[in-house]
Amino acid sequence: MQYALLAYAPEEDTDRATRPIRGTLAALFDRPNVTGWVRLHAEESATTLRNDEGRTRDGEPANPTGWLITTARNRAIDHLRRQQVLADKTKLLARDLEAGPRPPEALMDDATIPDERLELIFTCCHPALALETQVALTLRTLGGLSTDEIALAFLVPFETMSKRLTRAKHKIRHAGIPFAVPPDHQLPDRLAAVLAVVYLIFNQGWGGGRVDLAAEAIHLGRALADLMPDEAEVLALLALMLLHDARKAARLRDGQVVPLDDQDRTLWDTRQIDEGRALLQRAMARGRTGPYLVQAAIADLHLQEPRDWRQIAALYGMLARQTGSPIVEMNRAIAVAEIDGPVAGLAILDRLDLDHYRYFHSTRAELLRRAGRDGEAQHAYRRALDLAQTEPEQRFLAGRLAETTPSVRREPRGTST
């Protein structure tokens, strides 16, 4: 799959692909049996046509008018069904809120995860707060993460995050920000924060060894995809989590982290990989290339043999432009090192300020080791070991440190896990 083409696909290709069926719209709208909802979704169906069933080998639907009616009707039905499901769930939540809004802190005492967790996440992600504050507060009150874990996720000191959370709670209290389940039309305004919350919960489960959090994040991702099935980034996030999680059985061996290149592929969940890839294709068909779609494409490329490092590097470059994240640049450095050698990767790492990020030091240590700079590699491994959060990571890094002896060059080894 040429995912790197996502960064360069011209707008004209989309117009050319949809032009053959646009000519049927005028006649279609004149039909008496075409309802208002179908009319509403017909234009969207024409715009987002990619590789849907019904196309001929030449790229055109065998029956353009029939395809438009069927696709638009199905989308209209899905839209109405989502509205009804959301309305029903909102009524259930309203019963809990009749006595007055519950403060976010009270939600921390819930012993079990309620069925309405996704609605509560939308509730906590209030647009009156800054985006990062929405995410941090929701992770603290609903995501099961400690302040220290959230600080690590945002790459800030514990004290900084603690003050940020305290200020947010004061603002909620003094400004009288209402905590109520948002209506359907307000969900898109909160989607970016909700996606960030779900993904950070997954990352804490994936990187922090908390399997319960990773599973819960996937559960939330599925619920979100059911609620908003036409949102490309929603589908892409679920695909991303599934593609990563499919390797969980192979990530540990004898209590130690196993790099991706050394993992037993027979332990990977192929059904989950297939599901993730299918979701990724659906997201790509929406014609919008957001950061979760790019990350999902990268995750899929990492599962393929041999890995196409040039595509991976190109996609990380695109993701870096979208997000401005130094962690993305760190990952791009790994791909560049595979293409141009460890010195080229180190040149990128040396520009980054990620001293408190454990994976920065383990990545730098590996590239230093490949470059034959074993003394510096040992120092970097020790720093990574000091920051490691789980015992499997600590064992892996301790093993790498023990293997690293000055002036002994070794063959390159992958760092992905």
Side-chain angles (χ1 to χ4, degrees), residues 116-329:
E116 299 87 357
R117 174 62 63 95
L118 183 60
E119 283 84 356
L120 292 174
I121 290 177
F122 270 106
T123 299
C124 280
C125 292
H126 200 287
L129 302 172
L131 179 60
E132 284 193 355
T133 303
Q134 294 176 44
V135 175
L137 185 62
T138 306
L139 288 170
R140 185 70 183 94
T141 58
L142 294 174
L145 274 65
S146 67
T147 302
D148 190 52
E149 290 171 327
I150 298 170
L152 287 172
F154 280 88
L155 303 178
V156 298
F158 170 86
E159 293 77 10
T160 299
M161 181 53 63
S162 181
K163 291 177 181 177
R164 188 177 297 176
L165 291 170
T166 299
R167 286 196 298 268
K169 293 173 183 177
H170 287 165
K171 181 175 181 178
I172 291 169
R173 183 162 51 250
H174 295 308
I177 295 175
F179 272 84
V181 180
D184 194 5
H185 69 276
Q186 290 183 3
L187 296 184
D189 295 335
R190 306 189 182 200
L191 183 58
V194 172
L195 291 173
V197 167
V198 173
Y199 191 39
L200 286 173
I201 291 174
F202 176 82
N203 275 340
Q204 187 58 38
W206 178 254
R210 298 179 60 177
V211 179
D212 58 324
L213 288 180
E216 172 60 15
I218 290 175
H219 169 78
L220 290 170
R222 291 189 186 281
L224 194 54
D226 288 340
L227 181 67
M228 309 178 80
D230 293 324
E231 289 288 344
E233 285 291 81
V234 169
L235 300 176
L237 174 58
L238 180 55
L240 173 61
M241 294 189 294
L242 289 172
L243 291 171
H244 280 316
D245 190 68
R247 298 188 290 107
K248 64 183 176 184
R251 288 189 73 227
L252 297 179
R253 185 187 303 147
D254 300 325
Q256 183 170 308
V257 172
V258 181
L260 190 150
D261 287 339
D262 298 330
Q263 289 177 12
D264 182 354
R265 288 173 172 259
T266 64
L267 297 177
W268 291 2
D269 189 333
T270 55
R271 289 186 179 181
Q272 195 163 302
I273 291 172
D274 290 343
E275 182 185 1
R277 285 172 172 165
L279 285 164
L280 178 54
Q281 291 301 313
R282 285 176 56 193
M284 290 175 65
R286 298 299 186 271
R288 296 182 293 275
T289 307
Y292 294 107
L293 192 153
V294 177
Q295 291 178 79
I298 293 170
D300 186 24
L301 288 170
H302 274 299
L303 300 181
Q304 300 175 22
E305 281 191 312
R307 273 184 275 182
D308 188 336
W309 286 108
R310 293 194 181 279
Q311 272 206 87
I312 292 172
L315 288 175
Y316 272 127
M318 180 182 184
L319 187 61
R321 292 190 295 272
Q322 289 178 336
T323 65
S325 168
I327 296 177
V328 173
E329 275 292 279

Side-chain angles (χ1 to χ4, degrees), residues 67-80:
W67 183 92
L68 274 174
I69 293 174
T70 301
T71 303
R73 181 173 59 240
N74 289 340
R75 289 191 176 190
I77 291 172
D78 287 343
H79 180 85
L80 292 172

